[in-house]
């Protein structure tokens, strides 16, 4: 069994690491300063400029097929790069990406929505959650009623990432109330903001924030149906499933950086005439953090590897999301504890991480929903304990 990375993986990761260190990390103090002043940490034009620089470095469209100018990297490689991104609290990501389900668009829609999104000229958001339907996404109530060549959308979506900035939304609505939402009853639509939906920012404990979207008799031409009529829920689940190993990959980078800070602090801070690190209570926090980090790393890489094998990765991805999200919360909590009062101040990024990583246990499937998926697979005998090594 070989746990090492290949030469190409090492080289690509090193290039990503260098880019983050040289171009992204120098912005960190300014990001903290702006956020303390309730301004966006990184403006869109600044993000685009950074993404342009990264493109010159060779990083463009990690997950995007080569036919669309992307790198089409294997999932393991993507995971390793997201870990590099996660080391910095600057809200940066490489450009050249689009929602995975936009690739189901027809040629006309690709020209109008997919290609400009990849190029960063348009901003999308994906909306399935409603005030009455989160974990229970099949309970959505937004209606799509056929009217001649158009559909009329009515209802509200909530907690939509990018909802305030997006100029179009991918919206899942009930298109046939006589059928199961999961199977034939819902449809995904590509809806320009100019068609009449409005958004409202939702303040949250993290930086940035999602939005609620209100659709009040919004008329959408039938040519804006994404995929097939009746396929909306399936597309939605595919959108959500994509991020399940990416989210914890980012968390590994954050946890590593935070743990390094704690180790440095423990070695330099003195209490009772000796370094903090000489206390077993502190040593154990460091040991537990490193052990959980390492466990998360391998769960995530195994999930990504499963994707690369073309196997069904849902079970492995759910385990990596569940464990990775918990891990980063526990590590950041310990890191804050080791820093004492300083950890609680806004001078350091720790309290920011503490607020930000809490989201990871909620969005794209809560901890409880991941447990539901994992246990259901086992209870109905769909997966073996031990996965491919069983
Ligand atoms: C910042 C942010 C960004 C988001 N971005 C998007 C986005 O871009 N697009 C989008 O569509 N949605 C988005 N969401 C919505 C997110 O996916 C939902 O918040 C999430 O799925 C949980 O749904 P809920 O908030 O309605 O909680 P609920 O479903 O009401 O659940 C409340 C609690 O009960 C638990 N629970 C629910 N049912 C069960 C059960 N059967 N057994 C045990 N426990 C249960 C849940 O795990 C949770 O802890 C975002 C949310 C946030 C906070």
């Amino acid at each position: 069994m070989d746990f090492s990375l290949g030469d190409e993986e090492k080289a690509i990761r090193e290039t990503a690491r260098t880019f983050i260190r040289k171009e992204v990390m120098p912005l960190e103090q300014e990001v903290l300063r702006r956020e303390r002043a309730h301004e966006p940490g990184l403006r869109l034009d600044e993000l685009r400029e950074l993404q342009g620089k990264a493109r010159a470095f060779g990083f463009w469209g990690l997950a995007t097929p080569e036919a669309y100018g992307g790198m089409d990297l294997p999932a393991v490689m993507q995971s390793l790069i997201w870990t590099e991104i996660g080391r910095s609290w600057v809200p940066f990501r490489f450009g050249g990406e689009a929602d995975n389900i936009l690739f189901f668009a027809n040629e006309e829609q690709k020209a109008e929505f997919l290609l400009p999104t990849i190029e960063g000229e348009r901003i999308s958001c994906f909306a399935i959650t409603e005030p009455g339907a989160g974990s229970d996404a099949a309970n959505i109530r937004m209606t799509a009623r056929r009217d001649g060549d158009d559909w009329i959308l009515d209802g509200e979506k909530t907690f939509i990432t990018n909802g305030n900035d997006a100029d179009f939304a991918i919206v899942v609505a009930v298109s046939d109330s006589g059928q199961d939402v999961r199977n034939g009853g819902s449809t995904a639509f590509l809806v320009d903001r100019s068609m009449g939906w409005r958004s409202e920012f939702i303040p949250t404990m993290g930086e940035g924030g999602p939005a609620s979207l209100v659709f009040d008799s919004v008329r959408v031409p039938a040519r804006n149906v994404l995929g097939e009529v009746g396929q909306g829920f399936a597309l939605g689940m595919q959108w959500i499933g994509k991020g399940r190993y990416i989210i914890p990959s980012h968390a590994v980078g954050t946890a590593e950086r935070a743990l390094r800070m704690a180790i440095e602090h423990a070695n330099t801070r003195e209490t009772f005439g000796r370094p903090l690190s000489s206390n077993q209570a502190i040593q154990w926090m460091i040991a537990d953090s490193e052990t959980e980090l390492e466990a998360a790393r391998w769960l995530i890489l195994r999930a990504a590897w499963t994707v690369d094998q073309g196997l069904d990765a849902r079970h492995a991805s759910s385990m990596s999301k569940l464990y990775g999200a918990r891990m980063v919360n526990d590590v950041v909590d310990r890191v804050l504890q080791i820093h004492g009062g300083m950890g609680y101040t806004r001078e350091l990024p720790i309290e920011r991480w503490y607020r930000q990583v809490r989201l990871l246990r909620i969005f794209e499937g809560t901890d409880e929903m991941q447990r539901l998926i994992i246990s259901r697979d086992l209870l109905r005998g769909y997966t073996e304990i031990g996965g491919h090594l069983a």
Side-chain angles (χ1 to χ4, degrees):
M1 187 174 284
D2 184 359
F3 285 96
S4 54
L5 297 178
D7 288 343
E8 199 184 345
E9 284 164 337
K10 277 192 214 151
I12 296 177
R13 187 180 69 161
E14 196 50 41
T15 317
R17 186 173 288 180
T18 305
F19 182 83
I20 299 293
R21 197 181 61 238
K22 288 198 172 153
E23 303 290 346
V24 177
M25 287 183 177
L27 307 173
E28 289 180 339
Q29 293 313 316
E30 177 62 9
V31 165
L32 285 186
R33 190 198 65 72
R34 287 186 193 172
E35 288 177 348
R36 276 185 236 125
H38 305 291
E39 295 165 20
L42 194 64
R43 292 192 313 270
L44 188 60
D45 60 303
E46 293 170 321
L47 174 65
R48 294 287 183 244
E49 196 187 324
L50 275 176
Q51 290 175 335
K53 275 187 192 169
R55 191 176 198 170
F57 242 70
F59 285 96
W60 186 255
L62 306 183
T64 303
E66 284 174 15
Y68 299 93
M71 299 169 85
D72 200 11
L73 292 174
V76 166
M77 198 64 247
Q78 289 184 50
S79 167
L80 294 170
I81 294 174
W82 275 101
T83 295
E84 297 309 315
I85 300 172
R87 292 183 202 285
S88 177
W89 59 85
V90 175
F92 170 79
R93 59 186 186 281
F94 289 113
E97 301 274 355
D99 307 77
N100 57 339
I101 57 172
L102 269 184
F103 289 92
F104 288 95
N106 59 35
E107 291 311 311
E108 206 181 42
Q109 294 167 341
K110 277 181 181 162
E112 195 179 343
F113 297 98
L114 174 68
L115 302 182
T117 303
I118 291 173
E119 280 306 312
E121 294 153 8
R122 299 200 74 182
I123 299 176
S124 65
C125 65
F126 170 78
I128 189 163
T129 305
E130 297 182 3
S135 304
D136 184 11
N139 197 36
I140 53 170
R141 292 281 185 264
M142 176 178 276
T143 54
R145 181 171 50 84
R146 192 79 204 229
D147 183 38
D149 278 345
D150 299 333
W151 291 84
I152 312 289
L153 267 57
D154 273 291
E156 185 181 341
K157 296 291 179 186
T158 193
F159 295 133
I160 307 306
T161 303
N162 280 341
N164 245 355
D165 302 316
D167 58 290
F168 75 94
I170 309 168
V171 186
V172 182
V174 179
S175 49
D176 183 349
S177 57
Q179 293 202 59
D180 186 345
V181 163
R182 292 183 205 85
N183 193 8
S186 60
T187 301
F189 297 89
L190 297 160
V191 194
D192 288 299
R193 190 183 285 266
S194 60
M195 289 173 180
W197 56 269
R198 55 181 202 279
S199 64
E200 200 170 312
F201 179 75
I202 303 172
T204 60
M205 70 190 271
E207 298 298 332
S212 58
L213 314 185
V214 178
F215 288 69
D216 191 1
S217 296
V218 172
R219 184 172 285 273
V220 183
R223 63 182 167 79
N224 281 30
V225 167
L226 178 64
E228 303 293 325
V229 170
Q231 221 192 19
F233 194 80
L235 285 175
M237 291 307 105
Q238 219 161 317
W239 185 90
I240 290 167
K242 170 74 178 75
R244 293 238 160 111
Y245 73 88
I246 300 284
I247 289 168
S249 302
H250 189 270
V252 162
T254 303
E256 278 188 20
R257 175 96 182 266
L259 183 57
R260 271 207 189 93
M261 281 178 65
I263 291 170
E264 204 179 306
H265 185 74
N267 277 331
T268 47
R269 171 79 173 168
E270 292 205 354
T271 61
F272 302 95
R274 54 199 182 103
L276 264 187
S277 58
S278 62
N279 298 290
Q280 195 181 53
I282 303 293
Q283 293 161 3
W284 285 21
M285 283 199 259
I286 289 170
D288 287 347
S289 297
E290 162 69 343
T291 307
E292 290 162 24
L293 227 170
E294 192 65 9
R297 187 191 323 280
W298 292 111
L299 269 179
I300 296 159
L301 287 174
R302 215 266 283 186
W305 175 88
T306 308
V307 172
D308 287 337
Q309 301 310 302
L311 301 171
D312 184 346
R314 281 176 297 181
H315 190 74
S317 295
S318 281
M319 289 196 293
S320 76
K321 161 84 167 54
L322 171 66
Y323 192 81
R326 265 236 78 107
M327 176 280 294
V328 74
N329 274 273
D330 291 345
V331 169
V332 168
D333 183 66
R334 293 186 197 112
V335 169
L336 197 153
Q337 192 68 15
I338 290 171
H339 280 79
M342 275 310 290
Y344 192 64
T345 68
R346 296 211 161 183
E347 265 182 56
L348 297 179
I350 303 168
E351 66 79 34
R352 182 192 190 281
W353 277 323
Y354 189 85
R355 288 182 286 115
Q356 210 74 22
V357 299
R358 191 62 185 80
L359 173 63
L360 275 49
R361 296 183 50 206
I362 296 169
F363 79 161
E364 305 212 13
T366 61
D367 284 2
E368 291 73 24
M369 289 306 107
Q370 306 307 333
R371 288 194 178 100
L372 193 115
I373 294 167
I374 297 161
S375 60
R376 190 179 52 199
D377 284 352
L378 289 169
L379 288 166
R380 68 181 180 190
Y382 182 70
T383 45
E384 275 289 323
I385 297 175
H388 72 286
L389 293 179

